[in-house]
Amino acid sequence: MPEVAVLDHDAVLAAVSPRAAIDATREAFLRHRRGEWVMPAKVYLDASPHGDFRAMPALGDGLAILKWISSFPRNPAAGLPTVMGVLLVSDARTSQPVAMLDARSVTALRTGAVAPVAARALGREGAASVGLVGCGLHGAWAARCLAADGYGPGVCFDPRPEAAEALASELGWRAGTREEALDADVVCCVTPGAEVVLDAGDLHPGQHYNMLGADGPGKAEATIGAVASCALFCDEWAQASHGGELTGAVEEGLVERDRVTDLGAVLAGEAPGRPGPEAVTMFDSTGLAIQDLAIAAAAVAAWRDGRVAAQTVTL
């Protein structure tokens, strides 16, 4: 068996810049929309009361991936990350294993990259300021990717003031209150989804909301009323309606399929985006395997081109 590359957390982040992640993520949505990249549904494996595992396969451009990732909210108390896992890359023509990547860094990059992709497609013309609610790993990469795409200045809020201040200092933004963050042109909520941070009364005409934290059953960052008050978009209806920000409003009968537009359809020019300059748009991101494929493919290309070093193992 040939050697298999192993890219750790730092290697993945060195291999794929925020700009490259944004471009790759946008292309992934278009490829999936055209049927060139495919993925079956995400599989959840409950590990209550600790958390859950997710298995996420995808195939495209000669590669097949499987991301095996976890969400264990109690981990930080034990000094461990909430999200951990591994992403396997195989040659789609021979099935030969190609690489193993740290799934935590891949997830952070693709979660962050979709923020400016959605904001460009759905935000109002001239939108610039950013409000960030949640400054953990994924929130930090959402902010970095938005900054790399020309957004800012921004306001960072987190229950841990030191996290908000550190990220704000890094980007030249400022730390502020939740209310100040929710006043921005583009607002990104990137919390664990265990409690609501956005209500209908927080919405202002012309805003765009990226809801990035509620990525599984039982999670929500916004009230049902806030969700139902917006022009709605999602990464994939099947995931978003059963385990995303839309779920509560769907279960209450306030939101049906015809009220929600796929981001890929907007990017491909097959569906309209923002209804008007005064509308409040909301994008529900649950995270797709084709996004992981895009980041993994970029990382593998960087390794093959000698732009990043990796360990190797023989299976």
Side-chain angles (χ1 to χ4, degrees), residues 48-274:
S48 296
H50 311 292
D52 66 76
F53 294 91
R54 300 105 186 263
M56 303 174 64
L59 183 148
D61 276 13
L63 296 176
I65 67 146
L66 173 63
K67 187 171 79 167
W68 179 243
I69 191 113
S70 64
S71 178
F72 277 48
R74 299 179 181 179
N75 273 4
L80 295 171
T82 299
V83 175
M84 290 189 287
V86 64
L87 188 149
L88 307 176
V89 183
S90 298
D91 187 311
R93 294 160 293 230
T94 65
S95 80
Q96 178 177 305
V98 173
M100 295 185 290
L101 282 64
D102 166 58
R104 183 168 173 255
S105 52
V106 171
T107 303
L109 275 172
R110 61 92 149 140
T111 301
V114 81
V117 171
R120 289 291 173 203
L122 305 173
R124 65 172 171 79
E125 185 176 355
S129 63
V130 174
L132 187 71
V133 179
C135 300
L137 177 67
H138 293 173
W141 280 100
R144 290 167 186 145
C145 288
L146 283 161
D149 205 42
Y151 285 95
V155 175
C156 300
F157 167 76
D158 194 282
R160 303 159 300 155
E162 67 279 6
E165 290 164 3
L167 183 59
S169 176
E170 174 190 330
L171 297 174
W173 293 0
R174 68 180 180 87
T177 65
R178 181 190 70 91
E179 291 76 14
E180 289 174 318
L182 294 179
D183 279 342
D185 297 334
V186 175
V187 179
C188 293
C189 295
V190 204
T191 75
E195 58 185 69
V196 164
V197 295
L198 174 68
D199 198 357
D202 297 315
L203 307 176
H204 305 300
Q207 287 185 302
H208 170 69
Y209 281 84
N210 286 320
M211 310 304 291
L212 306 177
D215 62 348
K219 296 183 178 182
E221 296 182 288
T223 63
I224 291 173
V227 173
S229 299
C230 296
L232 298 172
F233 302 83
C234 70
D235 49 13
E236 186 187 60
W237 169 255
Q239 285 190 186
S241 60
H242 291 91
E245 200 61 58
L246 300 178
T247 304
V250 171
E251 290 175 345
E252 291 292 323
L254 297 176
V255 171
E256 296 182 350
R257 178 67 180 100
D258 60 2
R259 270 204 60 192
V260 184
T261 303
D262 291 348
L263 177 61
V266 177
L267 294 174
E270 299 172 7
R274 167 173 287 275

